[in-house]
Amino acid sequence: MSSSRKSKNSLTFIDDINPIHDQNKIKVLILRLWKAYQRDAGNTIEMVLVDEKGSRIHAIVEDKNIKKFDSVLKEGDVVTLNPFKLIKYSGDYKSNSLSFKILFYRTTQVKPCDDFPKEVPEKYFVEFGDVLNGSRDTRVFVDVIGQIVNVGPIEDIKIRGKSTPKLDVELRDRGNVRLICTLWADFAKQVKVYTEANPAAVVCVIRCAQVKEWKGNWTISNAMGATRVLLDPPGVFVDEFRSGLPTDGVVLTNHDNSELFAGSTVSIRDQFLVKNHKRTVRDIVEALEEGMCVTMVTVGSVERTSKWYYVSCKMCNKSVEPYPENSGDDGKPPLYYCGVCDKDVSAVVFRYRLVLEVSDATNYKARFLLFDAMGSTLLRRTAQELYNAVSENDPSILPSEIGALVGRRFLFKVSIGGDNLKSDRSHYVVQLFSDDDELIKDYSDSLDSEVLVPLPVTPITKEASVRRGGVSVENPKPPTKKIKIEGKKEESFATT
């Protein structure tokens, strides 16, 4: 006689769990385990579990069952679990986006298991830009990976009458996008000690980080029990990240002053008007030092020598390589090879890699690069949506939404990296933008109200004008540099 029941020995992946069944059996790694107290539920054991496919689920042991499971549940162990109950998962903070979590029965069996891969697909890492533009659901924790480039002082903050250590660190990703991370309690101490002993390029992995907005700026922080902070951990994913970092020689620095992380509390308005150096396009292309700056430019064209998008693996978010004759005309989705997952994949996502050629009154040009987060915010549509809209005709066609950027004026905050100093053809990565008319007017007015003084630059030859971005073989008219000088009248000087 046939039966619809599952075999007692069959395993279910987390993504395939049916919430209406209580006979699901899963094999998972206990990624994180901590004890908590909730006013309505009393003491609990909280866990974040991950399966072989990299999917996560939250699990909880109630107060009445803690004594039974306390000695058999250990962080880092691989176990099989069944049976268990699935209950609604809600609240202000969640370790994943599922609508349900596991509740242990008293009868739940926990059995050790050795058959588990050393590394699983990374599904929960997010781009820094997705945090900085406020597009993340702040209720759901995220994973981040970054190089620690700045470490602030440890501060003792009073929380409910108890002194708690607090440490701000600055992370950067492979595109040199910077993100502030606030660490509390033991994490603050551990990171401070490690970075002081290892002043080279420290890679930090933070699992289950909380996305927070404070005074108009987006940062991340640890969420006490759920978060796990790893410094220079081994693994293919970390090695691949490290190999892709900018080759600009940036190493970790310690700044024991309160101004280091002022950017974490700076509004967009202050980013463009107060906190960052104002630069012309000529200043940017002739820069001799790395750094951040803001500029007001007009988009002259969209670069067409490369695609405005790239294809990424849906599992790990990294770029993939197409196979020949990869049209999908046979009804099956096209296949790609993912080097990070080391397998063929058909589940892919299209992401922005948009290059704009911009200029200003100096008649110099530069190429500004917007990655996926900035592109999605600017165009208010995902790259996948734009690709789908034109792909049936010709994917090489530039979507009208992108073409409409030509002629528009923007404020951009860009990073000048080591690659920019080595090659004038390198792109400047956009960290922030604004097309707000009032802010653009205020920026322009702030330039007009400043006193002009000479800008020291390296003399430019006729040939160098072309190499450095000039629009013609002859040098454009020397621009002027503006700066405020107390008690002096406004004067203008040529920069040559």
Side-chain angles (χ1 to χ4, degrees), residues 182-218:
T182 300
L183 299 172
W184 298 88
D186 288 343
F187 289 126
K189 297 176 183 177
Q190 292 165 6
V191 171
K192 186 68 171 179
V193 170
Y194 187 89
T195 53
E196 288 178 346
N198 299 272
V202 176
V203 172
C204 178
V205 172
I206 305 178
R207 298 192 185 278
C208 293
Q210 182 181 352
V211 177
K212 304 182 74 173
E213 182 185 16
W214 193 53
K215 294 185 178 181
N217 288 268
W218 292 91

Side-chain angles (χ1 to χ4, degrees), residues 147 192 208 253 354 388 439 463:
Q147 177 191 0
K192 186 68 171 179
C208 293
T253 56
L354 186 60
N388 291 341
L439 183 54
E463 293 76 19

Side-chain angles (χ1 to χ4, degrees), residues 294-308:
V294 293
T295 188
M296 180 174 65
V297 297
T298 299
V299 178
S301 64
V302 179
E303 187 174 278
R304 301 298 302 275
T305 56
S306 59
K307 294 179 180 178
W308 54 269

Side-chain angles (χ1 to χ4, degrees), residues 299 301-304 306-310 351-358 366-381 383 386 398-399 401-406 410 412 427-430 433:
V299 178
S301 64
V302 179
E303 187 174 278
R304 301 298 302 275
S306 59
K307 294 179 180 178
W308 54 269
Y309 62 87
Y310 69 96
R351 297 179 181 274
Y352 285 108
R353 191 185 184 280
L354 186 60
V355 179
L356 305 178
E357 186 179 81
V358 303
R367 294 168 179 82
F368 285 5
L369 171 61
L370 290 85
F371 283 112
D372 194 59
M374 290 291 105
S376 298
T377 305
L378 174 61
L379 296 166
R380 296 177 174 84
R381 294 187 68 184
L386 290 192
L398 191 70
E401 291 89 340
I402 296 178
L405 297 175
V406 176
F410 292 93
F412 285 119
H427 305 126
Y428 299 88
V429 178
V430 172
F433 77 89

Side-chain angles (χ1 to χ4, degrees), residues 393-413:
N393 300 317
D394 183 354
S396 66
I397 295 175
L398 191 70
S400 58
E401 291 89 340
I402 296 178
L405 297 175
V406 176
R408 289 180 60 186
R409 189 161 61 162
F410 292 93
L411 297 177
F412 285 119
K413 178 182 176 182

Side-chain angles (χ1 to χ4, degrees), residues 68-100:
K68 176 181 179 182
F69 292 103
D70 194 21
S71 62
V72 297
L73 295 170
K74 303 294 182 183
E75 184 174 305
D77 283 358
V78 176
V79 297
T80 58
L81 301 176
N82 80 302
F84 48 80
K85 186 178 182 179
L86 293 164
I87 61 175
K88 183 178 179 180
Y89 189 23
S90 59
D92 293 334
Y93 306 111
K94 300 172 58 178
S95 60
N96 59 76
S97 59
L98 294 177
S99 61
F100 52 85

Side-chain angles (χ1 to χ4, degrees), residues 34-84:
W34 69 101
K35 293 181 180 178
Y37 175 80
Q38 302 176 37
R39 186 173 301 176
D40 57 341
N43 294 309
T44 59
I45 296 177
E46 307 281 337
M47 287 168 285
V48 180
L49 311 176
V50 60
D51 67 12
E52 296 178 36
K53 292 188 174 182
S55 298
R56 295 178 187 172
I57 191 168
H58 198 89
I60 183 173
V61 177
E62 292 179 311
D63 198 344
K64 63 183 180 181
N65 292 324
I66 287 179
K67 187 175 181 179
K68 176 181 179 182
F69 292 103
D70 194 21
S71 62
V72 297
L73 295 170
K74 303 294 182 183
E75 184 174 305
D77 283 358
V78 176
V79 297
T80 58
L81 301 176
N82 80 302
F84 48 80

